[in-house]
Amino acid sequence: DAGVIQSPRHEVTEMGQEVTLRCKPISGHDYLFWYRQTMMRGLELLIYFNNNVPIDDSGMPEDRFSAKMPNASFSTLKIQPSEPRDSAVYFCASSFSDRGRPQHFGDGTRLSIL
Amino acid sequence: AQSVAQPEDQVNVAEGNPLTVKCTYSVSGNPYLFWYVQYPNRGLQFLLKYITGDNLVKGSYGFEAEFNKSQTSFHLKKPSALVSDSALYFCAVRGNTGGFKTIFGAGTRLFVKA
């Protein structure tokens, strides 16, 4: 049973470049979440979707960040233009629409902006 | 507002000794409580959950957690620690009303010494 798949696993790019992170959730899951993890701020929820519709994007740090979910099996998180302070590990997670069910996390994308 | 507190940044324990990782929470209504573990360069993995019923819940790898409603706590425990238990542990809470957000604690790093 395939888990949540994220790509790329590592990304190194220069400041000002566009960055696109990708996520394939577990088949059948209704919810998809994007998180960012840093030493200073811990695990932060950026945005989450229900049935491909964005529900809460209050955690998106600024307009440079955008997320889409064009279908049930794919989501992207885009940063344009990127800045060094965006360096972090970005996680995607998915779950069923049952509050008692846990989230399943991908192994993350480690992003470094030079 | 929902919140989770993990009062210890780090817990050190000798192999074979019991371990406890503390968690307290604040949520409106009945809580859905979770523990996750994160190993280096991996995403968070679900360990166990409390939804309702018996206050002592058992999970993966010999871990268990005790729900205490009056103290609003959900401490993670294991009777005999292994070196391989060394990892970052997150407590998380989700309310039974409103949005589908899961609030994560800051994490507690567990070191088990041989």
Side-chain angles (χ1 to χ4, degrees):
Chain A
D1 202 17
V4 174
I5 300 172
Q6 292 188 245
S7 64
R9 288 296 315 276
H10 303 274
E11 175 89 13
V12 181
T13 191
E14 292 191 347
M15 181 174 65
Q17 297 298 307
E18 178 178 291
V19 173
T20 299
L21 311 181
R22 296 172 175 81
C23 175
K24 177 179 169 58
I26 292 173
S27 178
H29 281 187
D30 307 289
Y31 280 84
L32 184 138
F33 307 82
W34 281 101
Y35 293 90
R36 178 171 68 176
Q37 185 178 37
T38 61
M39 291 290 291
M40 292 296 295
R41 300 173 70 94
L43 192 66
E44 302 173 273
L45 176 64
L46 301 177
I47 185 171
Y48 73 92
F49 296 82
N50 178 218
N51 292 325
N52 314 336
V53 176
I55 302 300
D56 186 342
D57 66 354
S58 60
M60 295 286 261
E62 40 195 284
D63 292 345
R64 297 184 296 107
F65 285 69
S66 62
K68 293 182 179 180
M69 192 166 185
N71 57 63
S73 58
F74 184 64
S75 178
T76 60
L77 178 67
K78 190 170 292 188
I79 309 172
Q80 167 64 17
S82 58
E83 296 183 4
R85 59 194 169 119
D86 302 330
S87 298
V89 182
Y90 290 81
F91 289 103
C92 176
S94 67
S95 76
F96 290 109
S97 58
D98 177 341
R99 290 179 182 273
R101 303 288 286 268
Q103 296 179 29
H104 296 258
F105 284 76
D107 282 335
T109 295
R110 183 173 296 275
L111 178 64
S112 297
I113 309 296
L114 306 177
Chain B
Q2 298 173 162
S3 66
V4 175
Q6 293 182 242
E8 302 151 316
D9 290 336
Q10 184 171 309
V11 169
N12 298 311
V13 64
E15 187 173 36
N17 283 359
L19 69 87
T20 298
V21 182
K22 296 179 181 177
C23 171
T24 58
Y25 66 91
S26 174
V27 69
S28 300
N30 294 323
Y32 294 84
L33 294 158
F34 304 86
W35 275 101
Y36 292 82
V37 60
Q38 184 180 28
Y39 297 102
N41 301 314
R42 300 297 303 276
L44 280 67
Q45 298 175 34
F46 168 71
L47 269 182
L48 51 77
K49 66 180 180 181
Y50 173 83
I51 306 302
T52 186
D54 195 350
N55 289 344
L56 185 65
V57 293
K58 295 186 183 296
S60 306
Y61 312 122
F63 283 92
E64 57 191 28
E66 186 167 13
F67 170 66
N68 187 316
K69 187 174 183 177
S70 63
Q71 297 186 4
T72 61
S73 67
F74 189 54
H75 300 332
L76 181 69
K77 301 182 179 188
K78 187 173 182 181
S80 179
L82 300 172
V83 172
S84 57
D85 293 330
S86 298
L88 186 58
Y89 290 81
F90 290 92
C91 181
V93 67
R94 177 183 284 159
N96 65 351
T97 59
F100 211 72
K101 274 183 183 180
T102 299
I103 305 301
F104 286 84
T108 298
R109 191 163 295 280
L110 174 67
F111 286 102
V112 181
K113 188 173 181 180

